[in-house]
Amino acid sequence: WLEIYLLDQSTQDMTIYEIETVQRRIGGGIAYGECAEIHQVNLPPERMFGPHGRQQDYIEWINSADRSQWPGSFRKALGTAQITAGSGTFPRGLFRHYSLDRLNEAKARAAARGLKINCVPVMAEAVAIDESGPRAVVHLSAMLNDCGKDAHVMNVDNGDGNCVVADVWIAATGHGPPMIAAFMKNVVQSERVVIDPWCPRVSAIMDARDSNESILYIGTGMTTYDLIMVDEQRGHKGRKVMISRHGDLHFTYKRGDVFKLKNAEVPEAFAKATTRQELLQGKPGEFAGALEIFARLTSPVAEGGLGM
């Protein structure tokens, strides 16, 4: 959407380099690019729009766009029907189609004004910026593409090595580093621990593993639910257990009650533990240990647990 703004405001020819690690993320980022047809949005369509001040823009696009490239089941279910505010559920990846369509329209508007706009996608990751010279030099990493080989990073404007040379650089980062809970810092190097679940190499590892193994998801937000659905599609048959980073208990909420979280007092136990034994068993008279909390969370309701 920043690129659309630049195109609409431009008064001269320009080249725009789109630096992104994975092709499918262009126009959608991780939230709308790294998703399958089963992944839905949790917002009504009138709350999903790009340009400020045009709240109906996404709805207008859905009702007028070419639907031939949309996710199959959604396209079949919707048919030629028109939608209104607050209606229906939608595949999350549809927003990427919307963004790219609006980007192509902005390119057409710039061309109609007589401008020459060259948009160059670069599959890599920006790792450093050098502003010491007359132009900025954006240094790129040697990323792996989807085929597992080094990405073919182009050397543009006669830049040395893997870099892009430009007059202006803009950091449009939408995906920060993963949040690592304090109690996980000693295990992140384990080959059984996945920090970035959307990494292409991680996906290959998950595809190859035993489908009967159990999986522990740390975090109970939308990313975990996305991963559970992906793992179901991969054919995973083992047990799946979720535990919150912040000690929140998640249920299927009644309408209107979704923000009334219940706290399981998990962080206090993890924060006070100074040894492995204290973490697992707890300090008598002070707080419950991790094993006790885990048992209480996962035991059947009939046995006095929470049945998670």
Side-chain angles (χ1 to χ4, degrees), residues 232-251:
E232 287 287 332
Q233 284 193 328
R234 287 181 176 130
H236 180 255
K237 301 180 182 64
R239 191 179 189 200
K240 302 174 179 66
V241 177
M242 293 186 293
I243 186 169
S244 171
R245 287 191 302 259
H246 309 294
D248 297 323
L249 300 186
H250 290 255
F251 302 91

Side-chain angles (χ1 to χ4, degrees), residues 128-133 135-139 159-160 162-166 169:
I129 310 291
D130 181 3
E131 293 184 307
S132 59
R135 306 182 76 194
V137 180
V138 182
H139 293 275
D160 295 327
N162 293 339
C163 63
V164 167
V165 182
W169 67 271

Side-chain angles (χ1 to χ4, degrees), residues 48-69:
M48 298 185 65
F49 55 93
H52 292 289
R54 291 195 57 193
Q55 189 169 343
Q56 299 296 312
D57 192 64
Y58 187 52
I59 294 177
E60 292 173 4
W61 174 81
I62 291 178
N63 288 332
S64 62
D66 176 12
R67 303 182 179 186
S68 61
Q69 301 301 313

Side-chain angles (χ1 to χ4, degrees), residues 30 39 92 197-198 217 219-228:
I30 286 183
H39 293 141
R92 194 182 311 160
W198 302 120
Y217 302 93
T220 52
M222 288 191 67
T223 297
T224 291
Y225 293 109
D226 288 350
L227 293 173
I228 288 175

Side-chain angles (χ1 to χ4, degrees), residues 74-95:
F74 177 68
R75 183 177 70 246
K76 183 178 180 180
L78 190 62
T80 59
Q82 300 285 289
I83 70 155
T84 57
S87 63
T89 57
F90 301 88
R92 194 182 311 160
L94 197 64
F95 193 83

